[in-house]
Amino acid sequence: MTRSHCPRILAVLARWLLGTGLVTWRYLWETTPLHRGGECRGDETDLPPPLPAEAVDSRVQQAQDGCGPLFHRLFRVRIAESDVGPDRLIEWVCCDFKRFVPSEVVDIRTGELREHGLDVGDELLVEMPGPWNGPVKVVHRDVDRLRLVTLRGHMEAGQVQFRARQDGDLLVFEIELWACPGSRLVHLLYSHLRLAKEIQLNMWVRFCLAAAAMSGGRPVDGVHISTRLLDPPERASVRPLSSAGRSSPGGAPGPEASSAEASGEPGASRAARRRGGG
């Protein structure tokens, strides 16, 4: 072991011993209402959106590369009295991702980013306590959303999307995940013991609350969490094309299937996505 590795190892141990205790304490005393809808069976609309062909290489870890069932989870916070709109909030996520995660146990490392922050092809390393770090890559960015795919070595296999939208006077921020456990051990910790699942829930709830704080507003009714699960996906399983035979740039069905967009629930069809800057 070289001396240069010692500070990094000590930092990881400190996050594990001190950070995990602090996060657990905050979680136990969290006063923000968490509306957990339980789990229900999903259908083909819960499959992850297709990845752009140019984004897929030997390092990409898609849902069908994982182990165990596919979890489609949605975390949503409705924000009142926000000072910014959806595009500005997503811009902040892209430019300062590290500011949204619980720094006690998570550190974010990126390469050199452009002025507008994360963009397609950029990679992040989410450093966590324990044997797993979380390498991910940006596969889609526009004015109101950012989508990442996991890379080899991540404890999950799949995609995660951050989206903001306006709903009347409220700003709505959502984190949507389509992922399987990345290995048999993670499957045990996530699907059976539920330890990893609760850690994930705590992280994304904190991310939602940080988004509300960054916007200058306040959560209206806490954070809503819904979970749908499917049998382990087969190779190359992705969300089906729309009836018109095409997908939007972000992988969602075309505008003819957008009737459920307003609900934002897992399983609802997504409206065609606008291509924005970057």
Side-chain angles (χ1 to χ4, degrees):
M1 181 185 301
T2 64
R3 289 188 176 183
S4 61
H5 290 157
C6 289
R8 179 72 57 83
I9 293 173
L10 291 174
V12 170
L13 288 175
R15 270 204 315 276
W16 173 255
L17 296 173
L18 302 177
T20 302
L22 181 57
V23 166
T24 302
W25 176 262
R26 288 181 173 177
Y27 182 71
L28 292 173
W29 291 95
E30 178 60 67
T31 58
T32 301
L34 302 182
H35 304 278
R36 305 173 67 161
E39 293 182 0
C40 64
R41 295 292 300 177
D43 55 37
E44 66 177 10
T45 62
D46 293 291
L47 292 171
L51 292 170
E54 62 274 13
V56 180
D57 56 31
S58 60
R59 297 177 60 229
V60 167
Q61 188 164 273
Q62 301 187 66
Q64 58 267 28
D65 298 320
C67 178
L70 173 71
F71 289 87
H72 182 195
R73 308 192 81 186
L74 181 70
F75 297 79
R76 179 194 296 124
V77 61
R78 299 163 69 237
I79 306 167
E81 302 172 0
S82 170
D83 296 331
V84 299
D87 54 344
R88 184 61 171 161
L89 182 55
I90 291 300
E91 182 182 354
W92 283 344
V93 171
C94 293
C95 291
D96 199 3
F97 195 92
K98 184 174 181 177
R99 191 168 179 177
F100 290 80
V101 301
S103 58
E104 310 93 285
V105 291
V106 176
D107 193 18
I108 303 294
R109 297 187 178 275
T110 66
E112 185 174 350
L113 300 179
R114 282 149 288 200
E115 183 178 349
H116 58 275
L118 293 168
D119 206 344
V120 173
D122 289 335
E123 296 185 9
L124 301 83
L125 179 63
V126 183
E127 292 191 334
M128 300 177 288
W132 298 286
N133 283 330
V136 292
K137 179 171 70 172
V138 179
V139 293
H140 180 81
R141 178 189 172 179
D142 59 27
V143 294
D144 64 354
R145 73 194 66 205
L146 172 73
R147 183 154 54 99
L148 313 173
V149 66
T150 58
L151 300 177
R152 297 293 177 187
H154 200 290
M155 67 183 300
E156 294 183 282
Q159 302 179 50
V160 56
Q161 177 174 265
F162 306 87
R163 176 174 66 173
R165 56 186 173 87
Q166 201 70 37
D167 183 12
D169 294 333
L170 298 178
L171 174 64
V172 180
F173 180 76
E174 297 172 333
I175 304 172
E176 190 168 12
L177 303 97
W178 304 266
C180 296
S183 67
R184 293 182 185 276
L185 177 56
V186 178
H187 179 30
L188 173 66
L189 294 174
Y190 192 100
S191 307
H192 297 288
L193 301 180
R194 297 184 176 266
L195 175 62
K197 190 175 183 181
E198 289 302 308
I199 292 174
Q200 181 196 70
L201 180 140
N202 179 61
M203 176 175 174
W204 295 130
V205 165
R206 292 279 300 278
F207 202 110
C208 287
L209 295 178
M214 286 285 288
S215 74
R218 56 179 177 81
V220 172
D221 54 355
V223 179
H224 290 255
I225 306 111
S226 55
T227 304
R228 292 162 64 93
L229 69 159
L230 290 80
D231 293 332
E234 298 177 358
R235 302 295 302 180
S237 291
V238 295
R239 184 178 303 160
L241 294 174
S242 68
S243 59
R246 63 183 183 274
S247 294
S248 69
E256 69 279 359
S258 62
S259 60
E261 170 69 17
S263 71
E265 295 294 340
S269 299
R270 278 35 175 200
R273 298 168 184 173
R274 293 173 288 125
R275 296 296 293 180

